[in-house]
Amino acid sequence: MRTALRKSIGPLSAVLVAVTAWLGLFVTPADKDQGDYVRLVYIHPAMAWVALYVAFGMAAVCSLLYLWKRTRSLRFDRLAAAAVEVGVVFTILTLITGSIWGRPTWGVWWTWDARLTSTAVLAVLFLGYLALRRVPAEAHVRARRSAVFALLAAVNVPIIHFSVIWWQTLHQGATVLNPNLSPTIHGIMAWTLLLSFIAFTLLFAWMVTVRYEIETLREDDHDADLAVAIAARKAEGAQP
Amino acid sequence: MWRDALLIARRDLTIELRSKVGLWQILPFGLLALFLFAFALGPRTDLLEAAAPGLFWLAVLFSSILAAQRSLNIEGSPATREANRLLGLDPAGVFLGKVVAMVVELLVLEVVLLVGIVLLFHVSVASWAFAAPALVLPAIGLSAAGVLYGSLAGGASTRSTLLPILVLPVEAPVLIAASKSLSRGLGATTPDAGRWLVLLCVFAAVYTVLGIALYGPLEES
């Protein structure tokens, strides 16, 4: 049952992303002011949602579960690592799609806006997390260091979310998750936006699952190699 | 904890005074950075004057990475670890002591670099009420974050390349707030300079508390 569900996430997310692209490109109308550039709204906010809230939120929760003695397991460490790896990809895609929208709208590819800057800092922070994981160390030592770093880095997420409220920024305020919880988008545009959130969240779930499985296989392979090496040394020692 | 902190601070500062690594390597690096920034910007006095606080803090920030690496290299030697264990030192005290020693080193560096920007970038201190906290608070924040992230970065072989990647993005708010506060101290009309000082205060307090809580478990691992 679980395997079937896991295997169905990939194709389902691909179909939903395709439907989102079709609705976004051919069914929804162009904007009165922004023209066709408004169609980026069907990928950019969904990618930001996945990167900032789902991926790094999941990394923070898994890191916390690892650090808590009762739930300490390397599975949470692997899940956090997978979430960050995919999250970094989505963060970079968020910055790229935002930049593509910013060029015709603001007149520049990049501006030193509070939200843009804090998002870029977050991407660099989590690149640092991935670099930290590559430092050779015993599995639990690496897991502990990574978990602490992930929690310290995740502090940046609420700063990014509230940056458009705390500081004067060029970036528009939240369309859906605004303080009044009243979305400022309607009709087919709102439904397509909602679908994009579901599609990209499922895509993230599939990518994390695959990344987690690869990491598990790699560690099993490492353990098997280690067992073979120990057996070989023992055999050498047993020889007269 | 405080007794251990004083012991470690005195030990680190004694090592620095005897080895003179700070004097012959970190201090010249900071001054060299100031010169290079000036070369990059050119001889225009107005430009150098406007950029002075930011360039000052960039020089301090890069030098603080060297100081943090130096501080943790002392702690990372097997003999030091053994001595700490035998003395039964509190890890929180060790963290605080290292931070105190690094703050003293950074303050000496800042004074020298301040003289440097006064002479080279043609600025002068207009308000010590803003300049003094704008020098002390970032030194505490940079030291606490540097020692904490240095202990995360593992052994000396990886720390030299990994520490800047881990700690520089975190210290970006200090760079902004310290530059704004110092520019007010140097006579510029910086709006909300007081709020930037509050941010520096919060950063220093948060990383000192986090370091006290986390340094022990991280060093154990």
Side-chain angles (χ1 to χ4, degrees), chain A residues 174-206:
Chain A
T175 307
V176 180
L177 293 172
N178 53 31
N180 306 323
L181 286 176
S182 58
T184 53
I185 185 167
H186 305 282
I188 186 70
M189 295 174 88
W191 288 112
T192 309
L193 183 69
L194 178 66
L195 184 66
S196 74
F197 274 66
I198 297 167
F200 281 103
T201 306
L202 279 176
L203 183 64
F204 165 81
W206 175 71

Side-chain angles (χ1 to χ4, degrees), chain B residues 80-98:
Chain B
T80 315
R81 283 171 182 273
E82 190 67 22
N84 286 356
R85 260 198 299 273
L86 286 173
L87 287 168
L89 295 179
D90 181 0
V94 175
F95 171 81
L96 268 183
K98 300 199 81 61

Side-chain angles (χ1 to χ4, degrees), chain A:
Chain A
M1 171 67 186
R2 279 174 65 184
T3 312
L5 186 70
R6 205 174 61 224
K7 283 185 175 171
S8 62
I9 292 177
L12 182 63
S13 64
V15 169
L16 290 182
V17 168
V19 174
T20 304
W22 173 69
L23 286 172
L25 287 171
F26 304 110
V27 178
T28 55
D31 185 71
K32 186 167 74 74
D33 299 317
Q34 298 177 38
D36 283 330
Y37 286 110
V38 77
R39 298 182 197 284
L40 277 164
V41 83
Y42 307 119
I43 54 171
H44 175 73
M47 283 176 171
W49 151 259
V50 167
L52 301 181
Y53 305 103
V54 182
F56 298 138
M58 181 176 161
V61 170
C62 289
S63 299
L64 210 57
L65 287 170
Y66 176 80
L67 287 175
W68 200 25
K69 275 185 185 164
R70 280 188 185 180
T71 51
R72 182 164 297 164
S73 161
L74 285 174
R75 280 183 305 169
F76 290 121
D77 174 58
R78 285 198 289 268
L79 267 177
V84 169
E85 215 166 282
V86 181
V88 165
V89 173
F90 273 93
T91 309
I92 292 169
L93 288 173
T94 303
L95 290 169
I96 292 172
T97 51
S99 193
I100 293 169
W101 182 83
R103 180 74 179 104
T105 314
W106 296 338
V108 285
W109 292 105
W110 180 265
T111 181
W112 295 102
D113 173 90
R115 177 164 277 188
L116 272 68
T117 313
S118 52
T119 307
V121 167
L122 188 74
V124 180
L125 270 173
F126 279 105
L127 279 174
Y129 172 92
L130 296 177
L132 183 63
R133 293 193 65 83
R134 301 220 167 247
V135 175
E138 192 266 324
H140 281 283
V141 171
R142 187 184 63 183
R144 187 185 295 192
R145 285 177 184 163
S146 307
V148 169
F149 186 80
L151 286 175
L152 291 173
V155 173
N156 207 19
V157 173
I159 295 174
I160 295 172
H161 180 78
F162 291 109
S163 61
V164 286
I165 300 166
W166 291 343
W167 292 287
Q168 286 183 331
T169 74
L170 265 180
H171 196 285
Q172 69 178 75
T175 307
V176 180
L177 293 172
N178 53 31
N180 306 323
L181 286 176
S182 58
T184 53
I185 185 167
H186 305 282
I188 186 70
M189 295 174 88
W191 288 112
T192 309
L193 183 69
L194 178 66
L195 184 66
S196 74
F197 274 66
I198 297 167
F200 281 103
T201 306
L202 279 176
L203 183 64
F204 165 81
W206 175 71
M207 289 170 84
V208 167
T209 311
V210 172
R211 194 65 197 86
Y212 176 82
E213 282 170 356
I214 291 170
E215 198 57 34
T216 309
L217 287 172
R218 183 186 285 171
E219 282 181 21
D220 289 349
D221 187 45
H222 177 261
D223 290 347
D225 282 351
L226 198 66
V228 169
I230 290 169
R233 293 295 87 77
K234 278 183 177 170
E236 277 175 20
Q239 280 175 1

Side-chain angles (χ1 to χ4, degrees), chain B residues 125-166:
Chain B
V125 180
S127 163
W128 278 106
F130 271 95
L135 293 174
V136 176
L137 291 172
I140 300 171
L142 294 180
S143 303
V147 175
L148 176 61
Y149 280 89
S151 66
L152 268 174
S157 56
T158 51
R159 194 184 296 124
S160 56
T161 46
L162 191 56
L163 182 59
I165 301 170
L166 298 186

